[in-house]
Amino acid sequence: MKVRFYLTLMIVTLYAVACSKVPELAEVSQEYILVDDELVITATPFQPEEARVENQEETNYDQSITADIEEDQAQSLDLTLFLEPNMPGFLREIVETGERIKIIENKESADLAFVWGGDCENPIEAVYVLVAPFPTVRDAVSITTVESAWVNPQDEFNRKPLLMAFDTYEFFTSMWGNAKEGAIQQVSTGELLETAWETNQFAIVPFHRLDGRWKVIAIDGKSALDQALDNEELPLSFPFCLLGEVENIEKLSDNPYAITARSNRDLNQLTSVTMTGVTALVRATAHRMETKGMYYPGEIIRDFLMDADFTHISNEVAFADSCPYPDPYQADLRFCSSPDYLELFEHLDIDIIELTGNHIQDWSRADFVSTLELYEQDGFAYFGGGRTLEEAKEALIIEHNGNKLAFIGCNAVGPYGAWATDTTSGNVPCGDYSWITQEVEKLSAKGYLVIVTLQHNEFYGLIKTGPQMLDFNPLAQAGAVVVSGSQAHYPNPFGFEGSNIIHYGLGNLFFDQMDAYTADGIQREFVDTHYFYDGRYISTEIHTLYLEDFAQPRFMTVEERRLFLEEAFQASGW
């Protein structure tokens, strides 16, 4: 299984800021996945509370990047330090050094200088991001367009001024000079998001101020959400270096508590989760696997699914040794899958399997229990179902890069045979949602970023219904940062409660429903990648796919994506 992760915390001196990657998965068992005591994935109740990762140091970016100064461990360095006047406020705060280092305004007479650019091996980057309101179709622009917006409003930005908070504009003027009158609109940080949504304007924000209601816009094909990119590769990354005589820098490096710093985009604090829609390896989809290979459904999108730290799949069907050879023309809706098909999930490096589907016990409860055993043997984490109702209700807890995630789900529509009881297997009935709402509140109060999935009513149209909003929205209000519908064969729209995102249904992933045989538009699929940083939900990337040959999704063309997003955003009420 893939569980790629970075060291939970990077706190290094300005002389030596380094980013290192942690080794791959170290230990796997049926009850938990443990990596060097740093990462825990477990379907509780198998994992006791004390087994979870502790001592994950947090950084409060509301107060920006801060100094870590230990009064009883650092002695006066008898050094003077010059700070670049244009240094962003969230970087300037790292040098609250008390009497150990005296801050002076004369660069020439300072022992050390913390300046923009310069020649140093490990700079500290101030990373900024081009953003737009979430329901924006455009995905990318060039750096030339961004720079030209400093002079005149650009077509790509709806011929409107680029928005910036006051402190962001002050920094960029030091980099690019004063903007031409009317090209940039300055507002307070607190008003930036609301203003952008009201006026449909693009903006530039520091990475650590991202919010789920922003859409991150790539520049020259590079997105700040791409975990494969280092800060220096991003177009709006500005390096700051500590310069001075070697002996003075050595003094600083010998006193690790004097000054510490990190970029405002620290990959060691970033976590990504890709969530998908309905998977049912049955009928024509299964027949294609038998005739074209077990990996056929995922051949085109495999690399994409593997990019995230964690990839979720909602598998609605149990694996059964007695499952017959698939019939692509099967008329009844009693489903099973061959255990051989589990190879597909392994090949795609799936991490998390959701069990809220309607068909999980179609074949038998015994086959569902044996499916759980297969998941455990192969190291798949799961949630939303179990051997008993109590087990099925338990949240799946993941702690990664300092981000505490909790997955929990339920089935609102049955059938009765899919639901667990106190003594029998199955998934969790949502009931009146009181139990799951209470769990969301409890987990949120403990600092978990809660992701809720619902198996809700199905319908064939890109709309959101009253019953959906009555059931989904209160869970986001209760604190779930992501509420995602797993029932939808036909893709559904989006919504927000504050900054918490709601996707009422993603559509199919691997299931054989085609336009000509089911409903026009059903081959369209959403896949969502959610990003979490420094203990917050910060962004969602919407990926758009199109199912071909009853089994194999491909990426949409630019025009297909444009039309799909426009329809979805309009259906969302935007």
Side-chain angles (χ1 to χ4, degrees), residues 280 282 316-320 330 332-337 357-368 414-415 417-419:
V282 299
E316 293 219 9
V317 179
F319 298 100
Q330 177 182 338
D332 68 78
L333 299 178
R334 183 171 178 249
F335 294 142
C336 65
S337 293
N358 313 75
H359 297 278
I360 59 168
Q361 296 192 135
D362 279 3
W363 218 242
S364 74
R365 291 185 186 271
D367 286 309
F368 175 65
W419 286 334

Side-chain angles (χ1 to χ4, degrees), residues 288-309:
R288 292 298 187 271
M289 295 175 70
E290 294 284 355
T291 57
K292 296 188 176 184
M294 294 297 164
Y295 301 160
Y296 177 70
E299 283 180 353
I300 295 174
I301 63 172
R302 179 175 184 257
D303 289 346
F304 153 65
L305 291 179
M306 293 177 67
D307 281 343
D309 294 309

Side-chain angles (χ1 to χ4, degrees), residues 91 114-118 120 122-127 171 175 232 237-241:
L91 284 183
F114 194 30
V115 299
W116 175 76
C120 64
N122 296 296
I124 303 296
E125 296 94 355
V127 178
F171 172 70
M175 296 287 102
E232 59 265 24
S237 178
F238 301 91
F240 285 80
C241 285

Side-chain angles (χ1 to χ4, degrees), residues 358-574:
N358 313 75
H359 297 278
I360 59 168
Q361 296 192 135
D362 279 3
W363 218 242
S364 74
R365 291 185 186 271
D367 286 309
F368 175 65
V369 172
S370 68
T371 295
L372 298 182
E373 293 171 354
L374 287 175
Y375 291 158
E376 291 162 2
Q377 291 167 12
D378 286 355
F380 295 104
Y382 59 81
F383 72 98
R387 294 171 178 81
T388 65
L389 180 60
E390 181 181 5
E391 181 181 314
K393 282 185 173 182
E394 293 290 342
L396 167 65
I397 300 299
I398 294 177
E399 300 189 10
H400 175 264
N401 280 354
N403 297 304
K404 300 165 58 176
L405 308 179
F407 294 79
I408 191 167
C410 64
N411 176 351
V413 295
Y416 179 81
W419 286 334
T421 70
D422 290 342
T423 58
T424 60
S425 64
N427 52 36
V428 189
C430 296
D432 63 1
Y433 293 89
S434 59
W435 76 268
I436 195 169
T437 301
Q438 292 170 8
E439 286 301 307
V440 169
E441 292 171 344
K442 290 177 184 177
L443 290 163
S444 298
K446 292 180 179 180
Y448 287 97
L449 301 164
V450 185
I451 298 173
V452 174
T453 62
L454 298 181
Q455 190 75 202
H456 210 265
N457 291 302
E458 301 172 10
F459 50 88
Y460 294 90
L462 212 171
I463 58 174
K464 57 182 178 182
T465 66
Q468 279 182 315
M469 289 185 282
L470 285 174
D471 294 339
F472 283 64
N473 291 47
L475 293 168
Q477 293 167 1
V481 296
V482 176
V483 182
S484 189
S486 297
Q487 80 291 338
H489 298 297
Y490 201 104
N492 292 176
F494 303 87
F496 281 99
E497 288 289 343
S499 294
N500 298 341
I501 191 169
I502 303 167
H503 196 168
Y504 295 97
L506 285 77
N508 292 320
L509 179 65
F510 302 130
F511 190 40
D512 64 2
Q513 292 178 312
M514 306 286 283
D515 289 9
Y517 300 95
T518 309
D520 187 44
I522 202 168
Q523 290 172 241
R524 300 175 299 175
E525 303 179 352
F526 283 121
V527 174
D528 298 341
T529 300
H530 305 291
Y531 292 89
F532 309 88
Y533 185 78
D534 190 31
R536 293 192 307 115
Y537 160 64
I538 62 166
S539 191
T540 293
E541 278 189 308
I542 306 170
H543 309 279
T544 50
L545 309 179
Y546 192 82
L547 185 70
E548 300 275 22
D549 191 28
F550 301 92
Q552 189 180 75
R554 62 162 173 82
F555 295 102
M556 284 188 174
T557 66
V558 172
E559 182 64 9
E560 286 171 340
R561 175 175 170 81
R562 181 186 68 81
L563 293 173
F564 188 25
L565 290 179
E566 286 179 349
E567 182 181 351
F569 293 153
Q570 183 177 14
S572 301
W574 300 325

Side-chain angles (χ1 to χ4, degrees), residues 14 59-69 81 83-84 87-98 103 114 167 208-209 258-262:
L14 292 174
T59 301
N60 183 353
Y61 276 116
D62 288 337
Q63 299 178 356
S64 303
I65 301 174
T66 60
D68 181 8
I69 305 162
L81 175 66
L83 298 181
E84 188 81 68
M87 186 182 297
F90 57 83
L91 284 183
R92 293 184 67 88
E93 293 189 16
I94 67 176
V95 292
E96 296 175 357
T97 57
I103 308 299
F114 194 30
D167 60 342
H208 64 276
R209 291 183 190 165
I259 303 176
T260 59
R262 65 171 63 89

Side-chain angles (χ1 to χ4, degrees), residues 257-277:
Y257 298 97
I259 303 176
T260 59
R262 65 171 63 89
S263 166
N264 69 322
R265 178 183 179 263
D266 180 357
L267 291 174
N268 299 316
Q269 294 185 301
L270 183 62
T271 299
S272 56
V273 176
T274 290
M275 301 193 69
T276 64

